[in-house]
Amino acid sequence: MAVWIQAQQLQGDALHQMQSLYGQHFPIEVRHYLSQWIEGQLWDAIDLENPQEEFKAKRLLDSLIQELQNKAEHQVGEDGFLLKIKLGHYASQLKSTYDRCPLELVRCIKHILYTEQRLVREATNSSSPVGGMMDSMSQKYQQINQAFEELRLLTQDTENDLRKLQHNQEYFIIQYQESLRIQAQLTSLATLPPADRQLREPALLSKRATVESWLTREANTLQKYRLDLAEKHQKTLQLLRKQQTIILDDELIQWKRRQQLAGNGGPPEGGLDILQSWCEKLAETIWQNRQQIRRAEHLRQQLPIPGPIEELLNELNSTITDIISALVTSTFIIEKQPPQVLKTQTKFAATVRLLVGGKLNVHMNPPQVKATIISEQQAKALLKNENTRNDSSGEILNNNCVMEYHQTTGTLSAHFRNMSLKRIKRSDRRGAESVTEEKFTILFESQFSVGGNELVFQVKTLSLPVVVIVHGSQDNNATATVLWDNAFAEPGRVPFLVPDKVLWPQLCDAINMKYKAEVQSNRGLSEENLVFLAQKAFSSSSNNPDDYRNMTMTWSQFNRESLPGRNFTFWQWFDGVMELTKKHLKPHWNDGAILGFVNKQQAQDMLMSKPNGTFLLRFSDSEIGGITIAWVAENPNKAGERMVWNLMPYTTKDFSIRSLADRISDLNHLLFLYPDRPKDEVFSKYYTPPLSKAVDGYVKPQIKQVVPEFATANPDPASGNPTYMDHGASPAPVNHPHPYGIYPPMSDSMLDAEGDFDLDDTMDVARHVEELLRRPVESQWGGQQS
């Protein structure tokens, strides 16, 4: 994005020149909103004069349109609505313009980027830094592309030298044959009379001496050519190995790390197209050099000349084979990971991909990939190359898949769409470790050959760790194991070691990432929220964030030991908050209507300075996945004294029957959302529209809630005679016992086979309640119907 950032800082004529690059053929808005993507593509890798490159250009056009559409879909709000329409229009416009001539799009963008770079460079040289620092990403891409260009030139140079060597060697062989012919003539002189022999022999001897002198000199020259060529190949292979290290050990490892963090809700790991293009360039360059080395070996065998070249060629051949082996085995990757919390008897999917498969023509004989589930110990043994005797820790159905080549995208991949874990074999657990702490992995393996069976590869790759569960009630703890592993695993670790304790700020980053992803919100956890969580985690009363920066939290504190005075862990409580917010409170959290992470005492301190009827929403300390309303009002038992009341916590079951906004609407004693926002201003857009009047003589009942102590404080005349569902409230000084049930007892059928609450069944109960409520009303109106 660096070039675009700098281009926007241009002034005067340079800015005018930059703006004139854009128009209907390529709108400037597209350049702006896709700047990072545009600058990350390998436009220079496409030869505009080669019609066969059109399919690459078409892939870039399709990707550009897809990126635009994705950008459009993620626009929100009033301004976002207009931008969404505009970006969608540009996507259609670019497709219409360039679909039949995608190379023209490449030509256009190359011209734009070249001109922008020139204008920025001129401005930077003429005046001091105008955005003078290049973005590290663009700089890295530029270095990689420069190295590929250097490799291309080196490979072309050795190709030219090889042809020259071959030509010289062929001429040498011709002259050698000539020397043999002269020698044969000299031998045949022995049969001639002495006079004839003396007449012809001097000329032949002179000719032989000349040819042999030339052969001696040329043999030394050929040997020098061979050594020079081998040295050049050594230089090429050094650069190849360095470039491959950058791409595989830096870029690909970083992509895998991003994929791992994406499992915790981090940003998407990004597409593999750029990485694949680099890996394909590596494969192509390696293969060209390998063929050159083999041709040099053939020339040596054709004309053996004593010297060190044989050893050098053997070394080069071994090195190039190691390089290509590392490339092929490292680029067999998992594009789409299997779910990391894996339930038995449940369908799941995964995709593996060979980034160099198309370039090495592996698809000409499509390889088959097999998936197996193995334990942590088996994964350790596998990476140590110990004989695991094809052991597995379970049985996966539909675990074989053939790799398919997709011509349009140039990808070779295997899509496992219908795998299912039939059974799992667990190992003996250590100490306090539970089944939801035991880690497995899916092993994907295949075998294929390249170059007409010249090289045979056995490739294997391991998925991210998975935790196997058999019941939905285990999901919460299994997710904790996966979260900790994804967040704190070190690259190149022994499977699947993670630190037992981490710094609190590191854990904050992880749970904030997870929270934003689960709730699907840009509003993450504030510093005040994190201080509240630290107080809960460490049983501390300090409000100073600095007090927690150097504190560490162990895995046991996170999800093995219950919080003081509770029967649940820190993670179980936090996960309950996420689930509740995700399912029922997301819009209110995004609006900032929910403070959430506030304890009872803090809520009391905040509310006591506010007018009566001021309320706030906070997550329950005592119940997993609960939220309560705290408000300030008069003490009915003591005139002139005010107190803070806390409503019994609501849970998912409550909100499945009546939403939070409607419940707040029901409670007329709630007037202002803390600190001073009228409640209707905040919540009215979420209220359920009032029921329409009956036209068939029946009055429809409705469910509303009431707090008994405040039921008549502010009656709602508009509601007629509604039927109320009581909800208990407690004043702040009272320590509430475990919440009691406020609805009729629910039968076991309300829970599904996993013990989870079933929304459909809940709504059935709600409808049943309405039916019960309707009956007296019907009898009341019966006379009018008759």
Side-chain angles (χ1 to χ4, degrees):
M1 201 157 60
V3 177
W4 182 239
I5 290 175
Q6 295 174 91
Q8 293 175 78
Q9 298 174 21
L10 294 171
Q11 297 178 358
D13 184 56
L15 179 61
H16 179 74
Q17 287 185 56
M18 186 271 286
Q19 292 172 333
S20 68
L21 293 169
Y22 299 96
Q24 286 194 344
H25 63 289
F26 197 80
I28 195 168
E29 290 90 342
V30 177
R31 176 69 175 101
H32 180 73
Y33 287 104
L34 298 188
S35 55
Q36 188 168 2
W37 182 88
I38 288 171
E39 291 180 34
Q41 307 309 303
L42 301 175
W43 305 103
D44 288 335
I46 296 180
D47 182 2
L48 295 173
E49 308 307 319
N50 183 359
Q52 294 182 352
E53 298 274 70
E54 188 166 306
F55 80 96
K56 290 185 182 178
K58 182 67 166 61
R59 279 170 56 191
L60 282 170
L61 170 62
D62 292 342
S63 297
L64 173 68
I65 292 168
Q66 185 63 51
E67 289 289 328
L68 263 181
Q69 292 170 339
N70 291 343
K71 180 68 74 173
E73 288 173 5
H74 286 87
Q75 302 306 313
V76 294
E78 185 176 343
D79 293 339
F81 174 72
L82 297 175
L83 183 59
K84 181 176 184 176
I85 293 176
K86 185 179 284 190
L87 293 179
H89 170 70
Y90 289 149
S92 302
Q93 178 182 314
L94 289 171
K95 183 172 178 62
S96 173
T97 304
Y98 295 110
D99 205 38
R100 295 186 178 180
C101 51
L103 285 171
E104 287 306 308
L105 172 73
V106 178
R107 191 187 305 277
C108 166
I109 294 179
K110 285 175 76 170
H111 171 67
I112 286 172
L113 292 175
Y114 172 78
T115 307
E116 283 180 355
Q117 289 167 352
R118 178 179 60 78
L119 291 170
V120 167
R121 190 167 56 248
E122 289 172 357
T124 304
N125 291 339
S126 63
S127 58
S128 54
V130 179
M133 293 292 289
M134 283 201 73
D135 182 84
S136 60
M137 187 74 75
S138 298
Q139 208 167 27
K140 190 189 302 176
Y141 286 179
Q142 189 177 20
Q143 290 169 352
I144 289 174
N145 290 334
Q146 286 173 348
F148 273 125
E149 179 61 18
E150 186 178 351
L151 281 167
R152 187 187 68 79
L153 294 174
L154 284 171
T155 303
Q156 186 60 54
D157 186 36
T158 48
E159 177 65 30
N160 294 336
D161 285 358
L162 189 59
R163 289 175 182 170
K164 182 179 177 182
L165 174 62
Q166 183 174 353
H167 174 77
N168 288 359
Q169 182 165 313
E170 288 170 352
Y171 188 67
F172 180 91
I173 291 172
I174 291 171
Q175 293 302 310
Y176 180 73
Q177 293 297 329
E178 176 65 14
S179 73
L180 292 179
R181 190 179 63 79
I182 293 171
Q183 184 59 45
Q185 289 178 338
L186 283 169
T187 303
S188 66
L189 290 180
T191 62
L192 297 179
D196 291 343
R197 188 170 62 220
Q198 288 176 1
L199 182 65
R200 298 176 61 183
E201 190 173 47
L204 286 173
L205 288 172
S206 174
K207 190 174 182 180
R208 184 180 70 174
T210 301
V211 170
E212 287 183 348
S213 174
W214 182 90
L215 286 173
T216 302
R217 187 172 65 252
E218 191 62 16
N220 291 329
T221 302
L222 286 175
Q223 185 72 312
K224 183 177 183 305
Y225 282 172
R226 290 177 176 181
L227 291 172
D228 289 346
L229 180 62
E231 288 175 0
K232 285 185 176 181
H233 273 130
Q234 283 179 326
K235 181 181 177 183
T236 302
L237 297 194
Q238 285 175 356
L239 183 57
L240 257 176
R241 201 186 278 277
K242 181 181 177 183
Q243 180 81 328
Q244 185 160 296
T245 298
I246 291 171
I247 292 169
L248 299 184
D249 293 355
D250 294 345
E251 298 300 313
L252 186 55
I253 293 297
Q254 286 178 24
W255 181 89
K256 289 181 177 180
R257 178 59 181 154
R258 292 195 299 273
Q259 185 186 54
Q260 191 172 27
L261 289 176
N264 276 5
E269 61 269 31
L272 285 164
D273 291 346
I274 293 177
L275 273 169
Q276 176 163 317
S277 67
W278 288 341
C279 292
E280 286 180 338
K281 276 191 172 184
L282 280 172
E284 191 172 23
T285 307
I286 292 169
W287 200 255
Q288 287 173 349
N289 279 273
R290 185 174 186 273
Q291 295 304 99
Q292 288 181 8
I293 293 168
R294 289 170 66 82
R295 282 161 56 197
E297 173 66 21
H298 178 71
L299 289 175
R300 187 200 67 79
Q301 292 172 352
Q302 192 180 46
L303 182 63
I305 300 175
I309 191 64
E310 182 176 0
E311 186 177 338
L312 275 173
L313 286 173
N314 287 339
E315 184 181 327
L316 287 172
N317 200 38
S318 175
T319 301
I320 198 81
T321 302
D322 287 346
I323 292 175
I324 197 169
S325 295
L327 177 66
V328 172
T329 53
S330 298
T331 54
F332 182 66
I333 63 168
I334 302 172
E335 182 177 7
K336 179 187 174 186
Q337 291 281 343
Q340 287 188 263
V341 177
L342 193 57
K343 189 180 175 190
T344 55
Q345 312 295 335
T346 303
K347 188 173 79 170
F348 68 96
T351 301
V352 294
R353 180 166 162 183
L354 182 62
L355 297 180
V356 295
K359 191 59 68 175
L360 296 179
N361 292 324
V362 175
H363 58 285
M364 301 304 288
N365 184 19
Q368 188 173 78
V369 184
K370 179 182 178 182
T372 314
I373 189 164
I374 61 175
S375 68
E376 184 174 326
Q377 292 300 323
Q378 289 165 339
K380 288 177 184 175
L382 185 73
L383 293 184
K384 290 178 182 176
N385 291 319
E386 294 176 3
N387 182 16
T388 57
R389 303 185 308 279
N390 297 319
D391 285 346
S392 71
S393 289
E395 181 182 352
I396 300 178
L397 303 178
N398 303 315
N399 67 329
N400 285 284
C401 186
V402 175
M403 298 195 90
E404 300 175 355
Y405 183 70
H406 305 273
Q407 187 71 42
T408 52
T409 58
T411 59
L412 181 72
S413 53
H415 299 275
F416 293 85
R417 295 181 175 87
N418 296 295
M419 287 192 289
S420 176
L421 183 58
K422 184 178 179 181
R423 60 177 181 83
I424 190 68
K425 182 171 65 178
R426 298 191 183 275
S427 58
D428 294 332
R429 291 184 294 281
R430 301 179 293 270
E433 188 180 82
S434 68
V435 294
T436 55
E437 294 179 38
E438 185 178 5
K439 300 174 195 173
F440 297 87
T441 180
I442 309 294
L443 165 67
F444 295 94
E445 50 190 336
S446 183
Q447 178 175 309
F448 51 84
S449 61
V450 298
N453 293 325
E454 287 180 31
L455 297 173
V456 177
F457 295 103
Q458 288 186 329
V459 292
K460 300 178 181 182
T461 188
L462 296 175
S463 76
L464 293 173
V466 300
V467 177
V468 177
I469 63 174
V470 297
H471 195 278
S473 61
Q474 298 173 310
D475 184 83
N476 175 293
N477 293 323
T479 301
T481 301
V482 167
L483 175 80
W484 190 278
D485 192 279
N486 285 344
F488 310 122
E490 294 289 336
R493 63 173 172 174
V494 175
F496 291 108
L497 292 181
V498 283
D500 182 60
K501 62 182 179 180
V502 296
L503 286 170
W504 172 250
Q506 290 179 286
L507 185 62
C508 288
D509 289 342
I511 60 177
N512 184 40
M513 181 186 292
K514 184 70 173 175
Y515 187 85
K516 288 168 69 175
E518 287 294 314
V519 179
Q520 297 179 331
S521 171
N522 290 325
R523 182 191 169 202
L525 302 175
S526 66
E527 187 168 65
E528 291 79 10
N529 298 155
L530 295 172
V531 167
F532 169 86
L533 291 172
Q535 291 171 338
K536 181 176 286 292
F538 299 114
S539 301
S540 169
S541 59
S542 172
N543 289 317
N544 186 357
D546 292 334
D547 290 345
Y548 302 105
R549 299 208 189 283
N550 294 318
M551 294 184 72
T552 59
M553 191 170 193
T554 65
W555 165 252
S556 291
Q557 289 173 299
F558 182 67
N559 196 45
R560 194 177 277 173
E561 302 166 357
S562 293
L563 291 170
R566 306 295 182 201
N567 61 353
F568 47 79
T569 66
F570 172 85
W571 164 255
Q572 288 166 350
W573 180 88
F574 182 78
D575 186 60
V577 165
M578 282 196 303
E579 280 295 301
L580 181 71
T581 308
K582 175 172 70 172
K583 290 179 178 177
H584 301 288
L585 309 177
K586 176 180 167 184
H588 309 303
W589 174 263
N590 287 337
D591 289 347
I594 297 175
L595 289 179
F597 299 96
V598 178
N599 64 39
K600 187 177 285 189
Q601 184 60 50
Q602 289 170 332
Q604 180 168 340
D605 295 343
M606 294 163 71
L607 289 170
M608 286 301 289
S609 63
K610 298 298 176 182
N612 286 348
T614 304
F615 68 99
L616 59 77
L617 296 156
R618 66 177 188 84
F619 298 122
S620 170
D621 280 316
S622 59
E623 184 164 346
I624 293 178
I627 189 168
T628 186
I629 301 175
W631 73 96
V632 61
E634 296 292 334
N635 185 344
N637 300 320
K638 203 166 191 181
E641 181 178 293
R642 301 190 321 145
M643 62 193 307
V644 172
W645 298 73
N646 291 276
L647 203 60
M648 233 175 64
Y650 299 121
T651 64
T652 285
K653 296 178 182 180
D654 302 320
F655 293 134
S656 298
I657 296 172
R658 190 155 175 78
S659 71
L660 174 66
D662 287 341
R663 290 176 182 274
I664 289 174
S665 174
D666 293 344
L667 301 177
N668 294 315
H669 59 277
L670 303 182
L671 303 176
F672 303 101
L673 178 68
Y674 183 88
D676 54 11
R677 298 168 67 188
K679 76 172 182 182
D680 287 345
E681 177 186 299
V682 180
F683 295 101
S684 60
K685 58 186 172 182
Y686 303 112
Y687 294 163
T688 301
L691 297 170
S692 60
K693 286 190 176 181
V695 294
D696 56 1
Y698 287 95
V699 175
K700 293 184 178 179
Q702 62 185 108
I703 296 175
K704 299 189 80 170
Q705 70 164 8
V706 63
V707 176
E709 290 87 341
F710 295 84
T712 58
N714 289 292
D716 184 1
S719 64
N721 295 305
T723 302
Y724 291 106
M725 300 190 72
D726 293 351
H727 210 68
S730 67
V734 178
N735 286 326
H736 229 345
H738 192 274
Y740 55 85
I742 60 170
Y743 303 111
M746 298 179 180
S747 66
D748 289 344
S749 63
M750 306 247 348
L751 302 179
D752 63 17
E754 299 175 2
D756 292 333
F757 190 74
D758 190 294
L759 177 57
D760 292 337
D761 288 344
T762 307
M763 298 314 295
D764 286 343
V765 170
R767 284 190 289 271
H768 180 63
V769 170
E770 287 193 21
E771 179 65 28
L772 291 173
L773 293 173
R774 184 181 293 123
R775 289 174 185 170
V777 179
E778 287 177 359
S779 61
Q780 177 184 345
W781 288 84
Q784 298 181 18
Q785 287 294 309
S786 57

